[in-house]
Amino acid sequence: MVRTRLGGMVLALVFLASTLSGCDSQFAGVRLRIAAGFPSGVYHSLSESLAAAWQRQLAIERPEVLKTSGSPENIRKLCAGDADVAFSAADVAAQPTNTQRKPQALARLYDDYLHIVVRGDGSIRNLDGLRGARVAIGSPESGVAFIAKRLLDLSGLSDPGTLTKVHLGLTESIEAFKRGEVDAFFWSGGLPTKAITDLAAVVPLRLLDLTDAMPPMRNQYPVYNTASIPVSTYNLAGGPVTTLAVPNYLLVTDAMPADVAEALVRGLFDAHGELARANRAALAIDIHSAIETDPIPLHAGAIRYYRDEKA
């Protein structure tokens, strides 16, 4: 009888301690919403993994993962206070805002590579070959469409009648491409992008080389980098191609408390393995390159984390 009572008291004390510990969490009451892009995208898969990790690490309610159309909508939600954390390409994040809240970075994550996909056995061999073509430039309000507009403007391909532009997401672009309804499509994503790998298995593909277009693009928009896509990535027709690369950032605003921001960055790196299992793009997340978020400033909490890690 004594042993049974003692066991019951121990269980009660363990339960009480656990309850008090949960109530006494440093971040009790913190509620997070993550602007995450469309469900089949990299942003969304990483957001789901981060939400689970942050819930466990910070002892908070599971952050809400918000479906969006991409970087432009993510930034709008973040700056309007409708999201607390957002994924965004650097070019979109760098656009001036007229809101009180301003984006600040937790980390640079990975780079996206611009793909301009045409048939490997077709007649389009360069950017100028898009004249008169039907081209899918990404879904409305997406980061893909944002880059496509800039590139077409600088290349003199935006004048009315020069080419036919349609707004389609990646899945819709590929289906239209297979049916011959578009001659080319734009995509900005990691290497390799599985949907394009799958397409290359059934259709010979070529990616347009942007060697001549990159100097004016970088001169006008220094946020972009010049990169190469190896021929082996998609078993491409022709050789490797020069293209545009844009970094992706994990963002908050200057309204976020420093201790919360620091904890989110710490949680990001503690969950690196989980993120990589959710999406291979996370393999590129590295503490040394994470601080390279120009022109977006690092949040004070993020700076504290990186300084502590270097100490």
Side-chain angles (χ1 to χ4, degrees):
M1 174 71 82
V2 173
R3 185 175 298 173
T4 302
R5 286 180 178 174
L6 180 61
M9 290 174 63
V10 170
L11 287 174
L13 288 171
V14 169
F15 176 79
L16 179 60
S18 174
T19 304
L20 289 175
S21 174
C23 293
D24 197 35
S25 167
Q26 177 184 355
F27 303 106
V30 170
R31 305 286 185 272
L32 297 175
R33 298 155 298 172
I34 308 173
F38 55 94
S40 60
V42 177
Y43 289 170
H44 202 279
S45 60
L46 294 183
S47 293
E48 292 285 0
S49 185
L50 266 180
W54 283 339
Q55 178 187 26
R56 181 182 70 252
Q57 295 159 344
L58 278 63
I60 60 175
E61 286 188 13
R62 193 180 194 281
E64 182 182 2
V65 176
L66 306 176
K67 176 184 173 182
T68 71
S69 59
S71 293
E73 185 179 357
N74 290 354
I75 291 296
R76 284 199 302 274
K77 283 184 175 295
L78 184 69
C79 292
D82 296 326
D84 308 290
V85 183
F87 286 78
S88 177
D91 53 354
V92 176
Q95 288 290 97
T97 66
N98 58 1
T99 56
Q100 185 174 356
R101 301 183 184 201
K102 303 299 180 186
Q104 294 191 345
L106 297 181
R108 175 177 175 164
L109 301 175
Y110 62 93
D111 288 358
D112 278 340
Y113 295 76
L114 182 63
H115 302 57
I116 307 178
V117 182
V118 298
R119 289 190 64 96
D121 55 1
S123 61
I124 301 174
R125 300 300 180 97
N126 53 43
L127 203 56
D128 199 58
L130 294 177
R131 293 181 183 276
R134 298 158 298 175
V135 183
I137 63 168
S139 57
E141 297 297 311
S142 68
V144 180
F146 188 87
I147 296 175
K149 182 179 185 306
R150 284 182 165 183
L151 179 62
L152 294 175
D153 284 348
L154 282 180
S155 301
L157 297 173
S158 285
D159 294 337
T162 303
L163 54 80
T164 301
K165 292 179 283 189
V166 292
H167 284 281
L168 298 173
L170 179 59
T171 301
E172 295 79 12
S173 293
I174 288 174
E175 292 306 312
F177 185 79
K178 287 178 179 177
R179 294 191 298 264
E181 295 170 0
V182 297
D183 305 300
F185 66 89
F186 279 71
W187 169 247
S188 180
L191 297 180
T193 293
K194 184 180 183 302
I196 297 179
T197 300
D198 294 344
L199 177 63
V202 296
V203 179
L205 299 182
R206 181 185 304 277
L207 298 183
L208 298 187
D209 188 273
L210 300 182
T211 298
D212 295 337
M214 284 311 299
M217 278 292 283
R218 281 193 42 78
N219 182 59
Q220 185 77 14
Y221 307 109
V223 71
Y224 298 125
N225 299 310
T226 300
S228 178
I229 300 180
V231 66
S232 60
T233 306
Y234 301 109
N235 191 26
L236 298 171
V241 297
T242 295
T243 191
L244 172 157
V246 58
N248 288 286
Y249 298 156
L250 186 64
L251 303 169
V252 293
T253 71
D254 48 2
M256 176 166 281
D259 60 338
V260 177
E262 181 181 9
L264 296 184
V265 181
R266 187 175 306 280
L268 168 73
F269 286 100
D270 286 348
H272 187 245
E274 296 169 55
L275 296 173
R277 286 190 291 273
N279 195 287
R280 288 175 56 193
L283 291 171
I285 300 174
D286 178 80
I287 196 168
H288 302 291
S289 60
I291 62 174
E292 299 171 1
T293 62
D294 187 68
I296 308 301
L298 280 169
H299 190 284
I303 293 173
R304 183 191 300 171
Y305 170 79
Y306 294 119
R307 283 177 176 167
D308 286 349
E309 287 299 306
K310 285 184 177 181

